[in-house]
Amino acid sequence: MAYYLGLDSSTQGLCALLIDASAGTVVLETAVNFGQDLSEFDCPQGFLAHPDPLVKHSDPLLWAAALDLVLGRLHAQGAPLSQVVGVSGSGQQHGTVYLSHEFATALDGAETLVAAVQPCLTRLTAPIWMDSSTTAECAEISAQSGGVEEVRRRSGSAAIERFSGPQIRKFAKTEPEDYADTGVIHLVSSYLCSLLVGGNAPIDFGDGAGMNLLNLGSGQWDEVLLAATAPGLVAKLPPVAPSRQVVGTIAPYFCAKYGFAASTKVVAWSGDNPNSLIGVGGWQPGTAVVSLGTSDTFFAAMQQPVVDPAGYGHVFGNPAGGFMCLIAFKNGSLAREAVKQEFGLSWPEFDVASFASTPPGNHGNLMLPYFVPEITPLVLQAGPRYQGDADFLAGRNPAGRVRALVEAQAMSLRLHSQWIGEKPNTVRVTGGAAKSDGICQVLADVFDATVERLETGSSAALGAAMRAANGAGGFAWADLTAKFCACVGGKSVRPIPANVAVYRDLLPRFAAFEAAQG
Ligand code: XUL
C-alpha cells in the first residue's frame, strides 16, 4: 500500500484526505470546522472579531489545535496512519505567523501542539488574506523599491494589502519591539509544516510568491523588496525551497500520539491555490481552471513568469514546476445570487430557461455586474452598470439580465487572463455553479475551449496528497492526474463555432464598456 496524506488548512477549517496513490483511490476524508469544533478560539468564520472591518486576523493556536484534532479523528476512525509514506499540506495563502527562536525545538516533550506553540508566539494573532488594512504600507514598499511596476516585475504582483510583505511591514512599524523579538516569520503553510517536522520548515516557491518578497526570476528572497519591507527581515524568513522537496521526516510527537511511522516523509507545504492547481489536474499549460465560488477565480500553469501589465493578476510558483497565474473576481456567486433574487428566479429558471430564451450575444445587451466593489478590474463604487435596449435597461427582461451577467463574467475572465499569453484548449470548471449547462456553454464559447467539469470538492487537500505522492513516493504528475482528476463522465461542453464568432466580435465592445467606467 502507498498511502499519502494531504492536509488543507483553509480559512474556515482543516481537511485531511488520505489517498492510495497506486490504486488511485481516496481512502478517507475528514475535516475540522473552526467555528463548530473549536469554538473556544472565537473564530466562528476563521477570523477574530475586530472593530476595524479592514483588519482580519486569526489565532495561530487555532490552526495548531485543528491539526491535533484532525489527526486524532483520523486515528480514531482507524486510518492506516502507520502506513502513510508521505504527508504534505496546503495553507490559506498570505497569512503570517510570528514566532521566537525557541519555536525550532518547541515540540520536544510537548503534550499538545497548542502547548508547544503558545510560549513561542511573538505576536498573538496572525493577519490572514482577508485583511486589507495595509494600503499605506503597500504605497511605502512600492515607493522604496522603485515603484509599483518594479514590485510587480520582481515579485509577480503589485504590492497588495493582503500579501505578507505589507502585513509584515505594518507589524514592524506598529509593534517594533515584538517585531525585534521575532525569530522567524512563517506562512500558514510553512508554520504547519514546521509543526509536522518539529523544526523550522522552508517556505515553498508556490506560496512564497504570494508575499511580495520573493524574486520570481531567481526563486530567492529579493534583497530590494526585503529592504523596503522591514529591517533585518532576511534573518527572520525561513529559506525558500522547491514545492516538491522532502523537508524532513515526521516528528516523534506524531508517531507517539497518532501512530505514524518514524520514516514518514514530509513534503514542503504550499498555498491553497498552488495545491488546487494540482488537485484539479491543471499543472500543465493549456488547461485553465475556473473556480465558480463566492468569488470567481481563474488560474492556469504558465511556462514563463510574465506579469499582468494591468496589475490585477498574480504569479505564483506552480508546484509541478514553472509558474501559475491567479486572477480573482469578487462578483462571482455573489452576483449570480443577486440577479436571481432581484427577479425571484428559481435555479432552473436562472440556469435553463434564461439561456433557452435568449441568444448568445444577448442582442447586444451588456452588463457590468459590480454588485460589490470589484478587484478585477478595480471598481470601488458598487452597483451594476447596463448598456442596451429599453426593456433591458428597465429590467423587463429577466432572462436577458441573467444572460448578460453570465456573459459578462465569462468575458471578464477571458479579457483579464489574456496577459498570460497562452489561450487554453481546455477550461476545467469547479465550484457550485459548474453544474449549470448554460454557464458552461457560455464559458466554452467565450474561451473557444472545451469545458470539463470536475467532481472534486476538496481540490487543495487532494492536491496536497498528490504532491506528497510525487515528492515522497516518486509518482509522476501525469499518472496522478489520470487517476485522481478525471472530469465528470459525459459532461464536457464543446464550443459552438457560430457562438464563438459572436463573442469574438462582442469582446472588444465589452472591453470598451468596462474601460469607460475607469
Ligand atoms: C489568493 C487569496 C485566497 C487565499 C485563501 O491570493 O488571497 O485565495 O489563498 O483562499
Side-chain angles (χ1 to χ4, degrees):
M1 293 295 171
Y3 292 120
Y4 294 90
L5 180 62
L7 297 160
D8 171 30
S9 181
S10 69
T11 313
Q12 303 203 21
L14 176 57
C15 166
L17 190 137
L18 188 66
I19 61 169
D20 179 337
S22 304
T25 51
V26 173
V27 179
L28 208 86
E29 190 176 345
T30 194
V32 162
N33 179 282
F34 297 155
Q36 281 158 25
D37 298 317
L38 292 161
S39 54
E40 63 273 28
F41 289 92
D42 292 326
C43 293
Q45 288 158 313
F47 52 86
L48 295 155
H50 196 282
D52 182 347
L54 299 180
V55 173
K56 293 277 184 290
H57 286 206
S58 190
D59 184 343
L61 297 177
L62 162 65
W63 301 328
L67 184 56
D68 256 337
L69 189 57
V70 89
L71 294 177
R73 283 190 181 168
L74 281 177
H75 187 57
Q77 286 168 17
L81 298 182
S82 64
Q83 296 172 61
V84 171
V85 180
V87 187
S88 189
S90 163
Q92 52 173 309
Q93 289 199 256
H94 317 303
T96 35
V97 184
Y98 301 78
L99 300 142
S100 63
H101 287 295
E102 285 68 43
F103 179 62
T105 50
L107 218 51
D108 301 353
E111 283 190 7
T112 65
L113 295 178
V114 167
V117 175
Q118 199 154 27
C120 305
L121 288 175
T122 54
R123 189 184 197 182
L124 295 181
T125 63
I128 63 166
W129 67 279
M130 298 172 84
D131 190 288
S132 48
S133 66
T134 61
T135 303
E137 287 75 16
C138 289
E140 290 158 6
I141 290 170
S142 302
Q144 288 179 37
S145 48
V148 175
E149 301 276 318
E150 190 58 15
V151 178
R152 189 182 312 145
R153 192 185 67 75
R154 287 175 180 273
S155 77
S157 302
I160 305 281
E161 280 79 353
R162 68 185 190 282
F163 276 40
S164 320
Q167 293 290 344
I168 293 171
R169 181 171 176 84
K170 185 177 171 193
F171 180 54
K173 268 170 60 183
T174 54
E175 295 165 69
E177 284 169 14
D178 292 342
Y179 174 76
D181 285 346
T182 299
V184 59
I185 302 174
H186 276 293
L187 289 177
V188 179
S189 58
S190 63
Y191 162 64
L192 291 170
C193 184
S194 299
L195 289 179
L196 280 187
V197 295
N200 282 307
I203 287 181
D204 89 299
F205 189 68
D207 211 8
M211 299 178 79
N212 281 144
L213 293 174
L214 190 79
N215 187 295
L216 279 188
S218 68
Q220 292 302 324
W221 299 126
D222 184 296
E223 283 174 22
V224 171
L225 294 174
L226 259 58
T229 299
L233 186 51
V234 71
K236 300 181 196 286
L237 291 175
V240 186
S243 314
R244 60 164 302 163
Q245 188 167 308
V246 173
V247 298
T249 48
I250 201 159
Y253 172 93
F254 298 96
C255 304
K257 206 161 176 179
Y258 305 114
F260 283 94
S263 57
T264 306
K265 292 177 177 153
V266 179
V267 173
W269 285 42
S270 190
D272 56 350
N273 294 299
N275 274 291
S276 287
L277 184 77
I278 301 295
V280 298
W283 58 281
Q284 275 176 310
T287 300
V289 183
V290 168
S291 165
L292 300 172
T294 311
S295 302
D296 289 345
T297 50
F298 176 103
F299 48 90
M302 300 192 310
Q303 235 38 297
Q304 295 302 324
V306 280
V307 292
D308 180 2
Y312 300 125
H314 308 301
V315 182
F316 302 139
N318 174 350
F323 302 87
M324 67 176 284
C325 67
L326 176 116
I327 309 153
F329 302 81
K330 277 258 162 148
N331 285 280
S333 289
L334 234 141
R336 290 183 281 275
E337 275 306 313
V339 172
K340 230 174 109 238
Q341 274 171 20
E342 185 178 350
F343 296 104
L345 303 174
S346 65
W347 179 247
E349 281 166 343
F350 180 99
D351 168 37
V352 183
S354 306
F355 294 98
S357 62
T358 55
N362 206 23
H363 304 294
N365 291 320
L366 291 176
M367 173 198 277
L368 296 172
Y370 307 141
F371 289 87
V372 293
E374 184 50 75
I375 51 173
T376 309
L378 187 66
V379 178
L380 300 174
Q381 190 72 41
R385 281 77 155 161
Y386 304 99
Q387 193 179 83
D389 58 43
D391 274 355
F392 177 74
L393 296 179
R396 285 192 289 268
N397 172 5
R401 284 286 181 90
V402 172
R403 184 177 273 283
L405 165 69
V406 170
E407 290 184 342
Q409 290 177 321
M411 285 193 284
S412 196
L413 282 160
R414 176 85 202 266
L415 197 62
H416 295 289
S417 61
Q418 274 172 343
W419 60 270
I420 71 170
E422 289 166 43
K423 196 193 88 59
N425 308 316
T426 308
V427 177
R428 299 200 137 199
V429 184
T430 66
K435 284 199 254 354
S436 163
D437 291 337
I439 292 176
C440 287
Q441 187 65 58
V442 172
L443 282 168
D445 294 339
V446 167
F447 276 90
D448 188 12
T450 301
V451 163
E452 293 180 348
R453 290 183 246 201
L454 296 179
E455 254 165 357
T456 170
S458 318
S459 57
L462 175 60
M466 290 166 67
R467 292 199 313 102
N470 172 264
F475 285 84
W477 293 120
D479 173 32
L480 291 167
T481 304
K483 282 174 176 158
F484 290 102
C485 313
C487 67
V488 183
K491 287 277 192 165
S492 297
V493 181
R494 300 190 65 83
I496 298 169
N499 302 354
V500 171
V502 169
Y503 293 119
R504 197 181 301 130
D505 292 345
L506 195 57
L507 198 62
R509 239 196 79 202
F510 176 79
F513 184 27
E514 199 191 82
Q517 307 306 309

